[in-house]
Amino acid sequence: MKVGIILGSNELDRVAYAGMHALISTTLDNEVVIFATMDAVKAFLKEPDLKVESATSKTIKENKEDIFQHYVRAKKSGKLKILACSYASKIYGYDKDDYGSLVDDIVGITSFSMEVEGGQIISVW
């Protein structure tokens, strides 16, 4: 099964959740496509810009957890693709060189929708 995750926030706890969900899904032998849109594109920059406003985010930061380890492990399975939103990238003036190695491509919502057609889609805002 294909799983699509639309991530719209760069809040630390939400980015962590999307990574955990991706890892669990790939472990269950699902193909996962994450579409980072709006502020979420900031989380995948070479130097991630993560908000720490919620109590959970503050706890994660205090515990010095590496939330990107979930993404790295899922990517190693070969079953995770991370796409940055072309619209959000344009708004912020980002191009492929601004993103870290986790990002596979910059695409629009139509391309993401075609990638996960017939699959389950969840949104994390």
Side-chain angles (χ1 to χ4, degrees):
M1 174 171 74
K2 284 201 175 189
V3 176
I5 300 173
I6 300 172
L7 178 61
S9 173
N10 65 329
E11 179 70 33
L12 181 63
D13 61 353
R14 292 176 178 103
V15 176
Y17 172 77
M20 286 184 278
H21 192 84
L23 178 58
I24 290 166
S25 293
T26 57
T27 301
L28 295 172
D29 208 31
N30 295 310
E31 292 181 40
V32 178
V33 181
I34 294 177
F35 185 67
T37 188
M38 301 309 168
D39 285 348
V41 295
K42 297 175 183 178
F44 295 98
L45 295 171
K46 286 180 180 169
E47 292 187 31
D49 178 6
L50 297 166
K51 288 195 300 188
V52 181
E53 295 176 355
S54 73
T56 304
S57 292
K58 289 175 184 173
T59 301
I60 292 169
K61 185 173 181 176
E62 287 169 8
N63 291 334
K64 298 180 178 162
E65 291 183 38
D66 177 11
I67 63 158
F68 291 102
Q69 69 177 322
H70 306 299
Y71 293 98
V72 171
R73 288 177 58 202
K75 289 286 271 188
K76 283 182 182 176
S77 74
K79 295 181 182 291
L80 173 62
K81 187 181 287 188
I82 299 177
L83 305 173
C85 174
S86 59
Y87 178 72
S89 296
K90 182 179 175 182
I91 288 172
Y92 292 115
Y94 302 149
D95 60 28
K96 183 75 168 94
D97 292 335
D98 293 308
Y99 292 108
S101 60
L102 291 173
V103 174
D104 295 291
D105 203 357
I106 298 173
V107 303
I109 188 72
T110 303
S111 295
F112 165 74
S113 297
M114 290 170 46
E115 283 274 342
V116 297
E117 186 175 4
Q120 175 189 14
I121 296 179
I122 66 164
S123 295
V124 181
W125 290 88

